[in-house]
Amino acid sequence: MTAEFDELTDWSKENIDNPWSFIKFRKKPLFKIDKNTVLPISNKLFKEQLFEGVFHKIRACYPDEDLKFNSFFGRPYEKYIEILMEKAKNSSGQNKYELIKEFEYDKDKKRSPDVMLKLGDQLLVIEAKSKRLTLNALEGNDHDSIEKAQEDLVLSPIKQAHDRIVEILDSNKKSVFQDIKSYYIAVVNIKDFPTLPPVEKEIKDKLEQHFQIPIKGFFHMDIEEYEMLCHLISRKTKRPIFSILDNRFYKYPGIPFSNFLDVSSLPMKRAEFIDEKGKEFLEIMKEKLFNEE
């Protein structure tokens, strides 16, 4: 994962007319200064390489046409999304949230969205997708890849969640939504589609053409931002998450969810449950690697 000055210089000269391409820095996020010293070119790229590298190494064990790994990876990811929301709901204070887990409906046994959070007549619908931007979309020089990424990571999942709501309202499970007046939809990807004002306007226009019922707010975020969302839900405060979502959707539509939290002076923290599990994992690894009690 390291690259020396001459290697980076040669690559930069070759790609000087392609300013959106950061592929070299993604593959080798560490700058080798001398034999014993390296510096991260970007902490974000370094962290991504550690995770993405493991993911792609495992994925490479399967033929390209074999989608078994994607299915295997997707189900635990959806379960993680559900567990986080359940932990957040159980830790919340004065707001009496109700958790609605995935369920089957209709004679065809269709499945509802992955998890939903209800408060009074308001409902937050979560659709989990274990997807990320493709390499071509990341480089930003392939319009078709960017359009496909927008469809796969944002438009299609939000439309899917909306369509499931519409179907459930006309099914044998319609009582689940009996008192709901305001629907909010959020899609959670592993790595989210970039949030930019012109792009968000385009997304809004496309989705509103599709909607058959009023959707008060719709969002796309990555897993780290979802963890922050769950922390906000878990706080013992009078302010419900729906007022925060309204503020994000109507006043700050063109910035990522994490940036919105920053400018709104809201905490950018993970749920305590994640930190607790992280400590447990570190203790297990210490014992396995170093035989420490």
Side-chain angles (χ1 to χ4, degrees), residues 73-222:
F73 185 79
R75 188 54 189 162
Y77 176 73
E78 292 170 0
K79 192 64 180 177
Y80 176 65
I81 295 292
E82 177 191 301
I83 290 172
L84 278 181
M85 185 62 77
E86 185 171 19
K87 294 285 185 180
K89 175 259 180 187
N90 291 341
S91 299
S92 62
Q94 299 183 44
N95 295 308
K96 303 302 181 183
Y97 294 111
E98 177 185 344
L99 187 78
I100 304 174
K101 297 183 179 181
E102 184 183 59
F103 59 86
E104 293 181 347
Y105 66 94
D106 244 343
K107 60 183 180 181
D108 297 330
K109 293 188 175 181
K110 295 181 180 178
R111 305 195 71 84
S112 72
D114 296 303
V115 65
M116 293 172 276
L117 189 72
K118 179 182 177 184
L119 181 64
D121 61 2
Q122 298 171 301
L123 185 74
L124 173 60
V125 177
I126 302 295
E127 190 66 41
K129 296 295 179 184
S130 55
K131 294 184 177 181
R132 67 205 74 214
L133 289 169
T134 63
L135 184 59
N136 286 336
L138 281 169
E139 290 184 3
N141 59 358
D142 185 334
H143 181 74
D144 291 340
S145 294
I146 295 172
E147 287 290 317
K148 187 176 186 307
Q150 183 190 88
E151 181 66 35
D152 291 346
L153 275 69
V154 182
L155 296 174
S156 181
I158 293 178
K159 289 177 183 178
Q160 175 183 321
H162 163 272
D163 294 349
R164 294 293 178 268
I165 296 170
V166 172
E167 290 174 354
I168 292 169
L169 285 169
D170 193 35
S171 76
N172 57 347
K173 294 286 187 177
K174 62 183 178 181
S175 61
V176 175
F177 298 157
Q178 184 174 356
D179 302 323
I180 302 301
K181 295 180 180 177
S182 300
Y183 293 93
Y184 301 75
I185 298 175
V187 55
V188 183
N189 295 294
I190 292 179
K191 291 295 175 185
D192 193 29
F193 191 81
T195 304
L196 300 168
V199 177
E200 292 305 304
K201 184 180 184 308
E202 179 182 335
I203 289 172
K204 186 174 185 289
D205 291 343
K206 290 179 178 179
L207 288 174
E208 288 182 343
Q209 291 176 20
H210 178 84
F211 291 159
Q212 300 176 38
I213 59 172
I215 303 296
K216 194 170 183 184
F218 43 88
F219 315 87
H220 57 95
M221 60 186 69
D222 64 24

Side-chain angles (χ1 to χ4, degrees), residues 35-72:
K35 184 178 180 181
N36 300 311
T37 308
V38 295
L39 287 175
I41 296 170
S42 162
N43 288 333
K44 185 174 187 291
L45 293 179
F46 179 51
K47 184 170 69 172
E48 284 182 1
Q49 177 62 15
L50 288 176
F51 177 78
E52 299 287 337
V54 172
F55 174 86
H56 288 296
K57 282 181 173 62
I58 297 174
R59 180 64 184 90
C61 296
Y62 296 78
D64 291 342
E65 65 277 8
D66 190 338
L67 301 179
K68 285 188 294 185
F69 176 72
N70 292 348
S71 299
F72 161 77

Side-chain angles (χ1 to χ4, degrees), residues 85 118 161 224 230 250 260:
M85 185 62 77
K118 179 182 177 184
E224 189 174 5
C230 288
Y250 293 106
F260 157 70

